[in-house]
Amino acid sequence: MESLAWLWSSEWLPFTIAGGAVVLLTSVYLLRSKKPFKLNAKYQEKDVVYLFQFGRSTQGPNPSPFCLKLETFMRMHEIPHRVVSTRKMSPKDKMPYIAYNGQVVSDSDFIVE
């Protein structure tokens, strides 16, 4: 703890307080500025499963193990689906997620169940 004692010295105290204030204000801004999740109307087609996941490369499968698990599960069980590459996270800040008849389900474990 003595190695951080210089942060509280009279020379560095204003910078320490200012840095803490910046971190606090940025955290409050990010938490309050989160917009409510709204599913685009084009992904609300009836009886179609939309799988939202990170973009894939042209030379291989999805790099996310959770996206890969869910896409493989849907292919193995022959569930007709459409893959949507996106960076937009689900309402629970999870990826991947599916939309089926306007209902959004996140977390690959819940989707597989």
Side-chain angles (χ1 to χ4, degrees):
M1 195 67 179
E2 292 179 20
S3 62
L4 296 177
W6 60 272
L7 284 173
W8 304 109
S9 68
S10 60
E11 296 172 357
W12 286 97
L13 188 59
F15 297 108
T16 303
I17 293 172
V22 167
V23 169
L24 178 67
L25 292 175
T26 302
S27 301
V28 168
Y29 172 76
L30 290 175
L31 289 173
R32 290 191 173 241
S33 68
K34 185 173 179 178
K35 298 177 183 175
F37 183 85
K38 185 177 178 188
L39 190 61
N40 194 330
K42 68 180 178 180
Y43 301 126
Q44 295 184 14
E45 196 174 325
K46 189 170 171 73
D47 296 330
V48 176
V49 176
Y50 290 97
L51 170 59
F52 295 88
Q53 63 181 5
F54 298 114
R56 299 168 56 165
S57 71
T58 57
Q59 300 169 349
N62 197 304
S64 167
F66 305 109
C67 296
L68 182 62
K69 173 178 84 172
L70 189 54
E71 189 172 357
T72 303
F73 175 82
M74 295 181 105
R75 285 183 180 180
M76 286 177 62
H77 291 275
E78 298 177 354
I79 299 171
H81 63 283
R82 295 185 188 161
V83 176
V84 180
S85 296
T86 184
R87 291 185 185 178
K88 184 178 179 184
M89 303 297 264
S90 74
K92 295 182 179 180
D93 287 333
K94 300 264 186 180
M95 186 69 86
Y97 59 99
I98 62 168
Y100 181 70
N101 291 337
Q103 184 179 7
V104 176
V105 180
S106 15
D107 196 347
S108 60
D109 287 334
F110 290 125
I111 295 169
V112 168
E113 287 178 13

